[in-house]
Amino acid sequence: MELRKAGSGSLEPCERDMPVALPGEVLIRVLACGVCRTDLHIVDGELAPPDLPVIPGHEIVGIVARIGDGVSEFVEGDRVGVPWLGYSCGRCSVCLAGRENLCPNARFTGFQNDGGYAQYVVAEAAFVFKLPEEYGDVEVAPLLCAGLIGYRAYRMAGDAPRLGLYGFGAAAHIIAQVARHERREVFAFTSPGDDAAQAFARELGVSWAGGSDQPPPQTLDGAIIFAPVGSLVPEALAHVAPGGTVVCAGIHMSDIPSFPYHLLWQERVVRSVANLTRQDAREFLDLAARVHIRTRTVQFDLADANDALSALKHGRIEGAAVLVPAP
Ligand SMILES: [Zn+2]
Ligand SMILES: [Zn+2]
């Protein structure tokens, strides 16, 4: 399923030749691919891929089908995952400083590199991960972005005993479980009146769930904004204690309205989180192997990718949408 025209809002089915694993690459037969909000931003034109057509999808679960020359980490038949970071140069100053997530030469899966809305995909072996065996193929897919980048955002929120999560979708439903495992209290904010999402959050053990227009019952120590809604930044700041951090975890957000300085005063911090490093992936997948995270998924056939994107856009997905190619 490829995007041919920027901002066209939909993907087109197409047939392509089987991709070839070049030296350092692996060819992967896709078993499942999660649908991320970033894919929606790409298809809707809020993020413009440098070249079209492109196949979206960066929460790829599959089986190694061919090994390129020089690849020793994997053998054919391994089950692996491919996340958003598809390549970093390893030579620039940010890469050398351990921040390959900010590499100016990075390539991202489903953006510069063709992604997992397909039956097969090639990926750089050095950016591919083995997945914890306890998880099913569909169940594990959302961990590869909602989980990984959600976890990076979670760490950036600091050691917050009371954590607010704005937008209770794929990432928040995973991070709420991690936070509960670490005995933190979670406060879930949904679109006003979204009773289903609030009930879902309560099922996962949050202390409180309500609309983003409601104040939490207690002051928060930190907050993560997963919803692409800039007006939530001053909302979250107003509920965060002095010294607390508000993390903007999405790749795209509507404009942030101006707000009075007193919301930021007292060393409150607003920051974004961009992409992921391979170290984030190793840490999070290691955690996921020890703590079984129950992902809630809604499965779609690959051919119905546009339906999945539309359902995500209209808030009709509880948890995460996952595409599965026909066998
Ligand atoms: Zn670099
Ligand atoms: Zn993503």
Side-chain angles (χ1 to χ4, degrees):
M1 296 296 288
E2 67 179 18
L3 178 68
R4 292 187 188 154
K5 190 164 168 289
S8 64
S10 68
L11 302 173
E12 311 282 342
C14 71
E15 295 279 339
R16 292 199 188 175
D17 292 340
M18 180 70 83
V20 174
L22 297 174
E25 294 180 340
V26 287
L27 172 69
I28 295 163
R29 179 167 60 85
V30 179
L31 299 172
C33 184
V35 177
C36 176
R37 185 165 290 279
T38 297
D39 303 338
L40 192 54
H41 293 315
I42 292 169
V43 171
D44 281 347
E46 287 139 347
L47 295 172
D51 291 304
L52 292 172
V54 70
I55 299 171
H58 57 269
E59 295 181 308
I60 307 169
V61 178
I63 297 288
V64 175
R66 289 269 189 288
I67 302 277
D69 287 347
V71 173
S72 56
E73 307 94 308
F74 301 107
V75 295
E76 289 176 15
D78 280 347
R79 189 178 74 152
V80 295
V82 186
W84 173 241
L85 183 69
Y87 169 80
S88 67
C89 77
R91 296 183 304 273
C92 71
S93 60
V94 289
C95 277
L96 292 172
R99 296 193 296 165
E100 64 180 345
N101 59 310
L102 303 179
C103 175
N105 307 309
R107 294 175 66 82
F108 298 105
T109 309
F111 192 64
Q112 285 104 341
N113 297 347
D114 280 322
Y117 287 20
Q119 291 165 301
Y120 286 87
V121 64
V122 287
E124 292 267 348
F127 294 81
V128 168
F129 299 87
K130 286 194 181 137
L131 298 172
E133 285 170 12
E134 308 73 42
Y135 291 79
D137 301 326
V138 169
E139 177 192 28
V140 78
L143 298 188
L144 285 157
C145 184
L148 291 186
I149 299 182
Y151 185 65
R152 185 175 175 85
Y154 174 69
R155 283 190 295 115
M156 297 297 176
D159 180 20
R162 290 188 183 127
L163 180 68
L165 301 177
Y166 284 80
F168 206 85
H173 98 287
I174 292 170
I175 293 309
Q177 294 177 60
V178 174
R180 291 296 301 130
H181 172 72
E182 295 189 342
R183 304 194 180 288
R184 303 193 196 194
E185 277 191 85
V186 178
F187 298 78
F189 298 82
T190 70
S191 301
D194 191 345
D195 297 335
Q198 290 164 22
F200 178 40
R202 285 187 203 103
E203 267 176 56
L204 294 175
V206 306
S207 304
W208 175 90
S212 58
D213 56 343
Q214 292 173 256
Q218 284 156 304
T219 303
L220 309 173
D221 301 300
I224 307 172
I225 302 177
F226 291 113
V229 180
S231 60
L232 292 174
V233 172
E235 285 284 341
L237 276 172
H239 300 313
V240 164
T245 297
V246 173
V247 181
C248 304
I251 194 168
H252 169 83
M253 193 179 237
S254 55
D255 286 355
I256 300 169
S258 70
F259 54 87
Y261 179 60
H262 76 80
L263 293 180
L264 188 62
W265 169 240
Q266 300 281 27
E267 302 199 341
R268 292 177 180 89
V269 175
V270 176
R271 67 167 300 159
S272 66
V273 155
N275 314 318
L276 73 147
T277 66
R278 283 172 284 176
Q279 185 57 28
D280 294 329
R282 284 187 282 267
E283 275 177 34
F284 178 70
L285 291 172
D286 183 55
L287 174 76
R290 287 181 283 112
V291 181
H292 199 113
I293 297 167
R294 308 279 164 189
T295 57
R296 181 82 59 99
T297 55
V298 184
Q299 193 174 317
F300 292 82
D301 291 341
L302 171 61
D304 297 328
N306 288 315
D307 295 340
L309 287 164
S310 170
L312 176 62
K313 184 174 186 168
H314 296 104
R316 295 197 307 264
I317 300 288
E318 191 162 279
V322 178
L323 304 179
V324 176

